[in-house]
């Protein structure tokens, strides 16, 4: 009996010691959401909305989160043209409201002219959708993941944008924090080789012959997830290959 109790205690200590991946709560962090749905048309006679916005934006609460939230909002969750070019200090709610106001204003300004000149603003208009999630991708590093769909006229683009944040300091995690100088220099070639292997091509020459990195050297994008056993780089559709190949992810261990 005593032996069984001792074994149970040892197993409990082992499990407790492993502890699993840390959570946001371990860093005194929690989540809130800003949700907004907006739909407008150029005039009331139009049968359906020509501009729509759906935003489900997670915001972090706790130590250093003012810096974190500002980083993610200016880092691609909302289109860069609207926020990243201003140094004005905005709360997350103000940033989202400001973006909605400017987006709708630009829609009315641009498509209003088209409607006045041609009598038809088209049925596509502008449609922007973003849904976000927050994960602890590796101990100490928060992954802020935005799934974005952006339709302008007949052109539509769906992609993922990731920001990596230091859970203790709130600062963005850069590649220079993950790799030393020599590793950074060789990283582009490793990405090329990893993609060739992933797509089952013989080498990077065959990779280019099949339409990848045709007009650009291999490079590491600033869009990546820091996962448990490496870094997964994310290229949006059309970035390194034709759009029909979709979003391309390359994992470097």
């Amino acid at each position: 009996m005593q032996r069984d109790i001792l074994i149970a205690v040892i197993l409990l200590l082992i499990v407790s010691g492993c502890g699993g991946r840390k959570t946001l709560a371990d860093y005194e962090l929690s989540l809130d959401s800003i949700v907004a749905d907006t739909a407008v048309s150029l005039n009331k006679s139009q049968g359906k909305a020509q501009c729509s916005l759906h935003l489900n934006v997670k915001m972090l609460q706790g130590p250093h989160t003012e810096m974190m939230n500002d980083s993610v909002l200016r880092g691609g969750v909302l289109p860069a043209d609207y926020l990243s070019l201003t140094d004005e200090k905005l709360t997350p709610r103000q940033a989202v409201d400001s973006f909605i106001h400017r987006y709708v204003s630009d829609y009315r300004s641009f498509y209003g002219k088209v409607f006045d000149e041609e009598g038809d603003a088209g049925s596509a208009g502008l449609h922007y959708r973003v849904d976000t999630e927050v994960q602890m991708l590796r101990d100490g590093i928060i992954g802020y993941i935005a799934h974005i769909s952006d339709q302008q006229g007949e052109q539509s683009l769906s992609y993922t944008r990731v920001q990596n944040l230091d859970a203790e300091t709130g600062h963005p995690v850069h590649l220079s924090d993950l790799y030393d100088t020599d590793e950074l220099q060789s990283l582009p070639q490793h990405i090329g080789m990893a993609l060739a292997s992933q797509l089952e091509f013989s080498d990077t020459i065959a990779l280019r012959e099949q339409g990848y990195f045709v007009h650009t050297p291999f490079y590491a994008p600033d869009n990546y997830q820091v996962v448990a056993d490496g870094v997964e780089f994310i290229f949006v559709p059309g970035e390194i290959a034709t759009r029909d190949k979709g979003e391309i992810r390359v994992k470097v261990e």
Side-chain angles (χ1 to χ4, degrees):
M1 182 66 177
Q2 288 181 339
R3 180 175 177 273
D4 292 339
I5 293 175
L6 179 61
I7 292 174
V9 170
I10 292 173
L11 289 174
L12 180 61
L13 289 172
I14 292 174
V15 172
S16 300
C18 294
R21 183 176 297 163
K22 287 187 176 181
T23 66
L24 292 176
D26 292 321
Y27 296 95
E28 301 180 12
L29 298 172
S30 60
L31 292 175
D32 193 8
S33 295
I34 298 175
V35 179
D37 285 283
T38 301
V40 300
S41 58
L42 288 176
N43 57 62
K44 295 181 180 179
S45 65
Q46 287 181 299
K48 57 184 178 180
Q50 300 296 305
C51 174
S52 66
L53 288 159
H54 167 79
L55 305 176
N56 185 348
V57 181
K58 297 286 190 299
M59 291 288 100
L60 289 147
Q61 296 181 320
H64 311 296
T65 53
E66 181 178 345
M67 182 189 306
M68 293 181 182
N69 292 332
D70 190 68
S71 292
V72 298
L73 286 172
R74 296 180 189 275
V77 172
L78 303 180
D81 292 347
Y82 290 88
L83 288 181
S84 65
L85 300 181
T86 176
D87 293 329
E88 183 182 356
K89 195 171 185 179
L90 301 173
T91 67
R93 180 77 256 183
Q94 288 173 329
V96 169
D97 289 345
S98 174
F99 162 67
I100 293 173
H101 174 76
R102 292 185 60 187
Y103 194 90
V104 171
S105 177
D106 283 358
Y107 160 72
R108 285 178 169 152
S109 175
F110 177 78
Y111 281 91
K113 291 179 181 178
V114 175
F115 187 82
D116 290 340
E117 294 173 1
E118 302 179 11
D120 181 14
S123 60
L126 300 178
H127 305 279
Y128 190 79
R129 180 185 182 95
V130 56
D131 291 286
T132 61
E133 58 179 310
V134 177
Q135 300 178 5
M136 294 297 297
L137 300 174
R138 184 190 289 180
D139 282 350
I141 297 180
I142 299 170
Y144 189 98
I145 306 165
H147 306 283
I148 300 170
S149 175
D150 188 5
Q151 181 178 341
Q152 301 183 25
E154 299 299 330
Q155 297 294 321
S156 180
L157 182 66
S158 295
Y159 59 97
T160 306
R161 184 72 190 172
V162 180
Q163 291 274 322
N164 301 277
L165 304 168
D166 189 307
E168 293 186 352
T169 67
H171 290 286
V173 176
H174 302 290
L175 288 177
S176 57
D177 300 317
L178 304 171
Y179 298 97
D180 63 28
T181 303
D182 291 339
E183 290 171 335
L184 281 175
Q185 290 179 349
S186 61
L187 183 58
Q189 188 63 27
H190 283 299
I191 290 174
M193 292 187 296
L195 181 57
S197 175
Q198 178 178 306
L199 297 176
E200 298 183 347
F201 296 141
S202 58
D203 52 31
T204 55
I205 295 176
L207 179 70
R208 283 201 164 100
E209 290 174 344
Q210 293 301 316
Y212 298 85
F213 289 102
V214 174
H215 302 295
T216 180
F218 300 130
Y219 68 92
D222 62 358
N223 191 22
Y224 55 87
Q225 290 185 199
V226 182
V227 294
D229 55 350
V231 177
E232 185 174 53
F233 295 93
I234 304 171
F235 297 92
V236 304
E239 185 174 355
I240 59 169
T242 54
R243 284 198 177 193
D244 60 287
K245 289 183 169 61
E247 184 174 272
I248 298 171
R249 294 179 175 236
V250 187
K251 183 178 176 182
V252 177
E253 295 183 356

